[in-house]
Amino acid sequence: MNTDKIRKVFPAYFSNFKLPEAAVEQEISVYRACPTRKIEKASFLNTYEENGFHVPVGLTADNPQVYCLSTAFRLKDVKRFVTINSAYQPPLLLAKGHTTKVDGLSCKTSDWKPTKNSHVDWWLYTDAMPWLAFEETTYELENEQNNIPKTD
């Protein structure tokens, strides 16, 4: 499929909620912890799809975050998923990339609700292919490249 031809249409279940006004087509550099440990479609599902098309316990159907792909713009906010001492064993694969205009609308969560982390919400269009904008990396390599002092 040619990414230039993606229809800018959201899945039908997007009628359950209202997108934040801050959500726009933009590029934000982000990290993604890939649950399948591969850069592929199954690692880039929104929370609703990851949960078998059900609203996760503790959330409501009108919460926009139920339907977004979760990413983070700061490395420290994905650390718990991707380091050797992670609760996930083996640790999840760390991918580095960016939100894309062609794949959907995105914004920093802090642009529409109070939060202290670097979470980025990304609402994907139907047939979007966000994984194409990502590459595999490691926490250690990103620490080195960003001159982040080791804390472990």
Side-chain angles (χ1 to χ4, degrees):
M1 176 179 198
N2 183 341
T3 56
D4 295 334
K5 302 277 184 193
I6 289 178
R7 295 176 308 144
K8 293 183 177 184
V9 174
F10 289 112
Y13 53 78
F14 271 50
S15 62
N16 294 343
F17 68 98
K18 184 177 184 291
L19 280 165
E21 289 182 22
V24 295
E25 290 181 340
Q26 63 183 318
E27 291 191 2
I28 303 171
S29 294
V30 293
Y31 295 98
R32 169 79 177 156
C34 297
T36 67
R37 297 171 179 84
K38 296 177 186 172
I39 296 177
E40 62 182 0
K41 181 178 183 173
S43 276
F44 287 82
L45 300 176
N46 67 43
T47 303
Y48 185 69
E49 292 177 1
E50 274 184 337
N51 202 41
F53 294 88
H54 293 95
V55 175
V57 174
L59 298 175
T60 59
D62 63 346
N63 181 339
Q65 288 191 299
V66 169
Y67 309 95
C68 75
L69 171 66
S70 294
T71 61
F73 63 86
R74 283 194 298 256
L75 183 61
K76 71 178 187 126
D77 291 324
V78 294
K79 180 180 180 181
R80 66 186 169 117
F81 301 106
V82 300
T83 58
I84 198 69
N85 58 354
S86 170
Y88 298 89
Q89 290 301 322
L92 303 186
L93 180 135
L94 179 61
K96 179 181 181 179
H98 60 275
T99 63
T100 61
K101 296 175 183 181
V102 70
D103 288 315
L105 306 180
S106 62
C107 64
K108 294 177 180 177
T109 305
S110 60
D111 289 343
W112 65 279
K113 71 182 229 180
T115 185
K116 292 183 180 182
N117 66 33
S118 70
H119 191 269
V120 173
D121 302 300
W122 191 5
W123 295 274
L124 300 174
Y125 297 131
T126 300
D127 299 326
M129 296 183 285
W131 59 92
L132 297 178
F134 286 79
E135 61 185 23
E136 182 177 346
T137 188
T138 66
Y139 187 81
E140 295 73 24
L141 179 62
E142 292 301 310
N143 264 332
E144 281 178 28
Q145 290 179 347
N146 293 306
N147 295 316
I148 299 170
K150 284 191 173 183
T151 57
D152 296 337

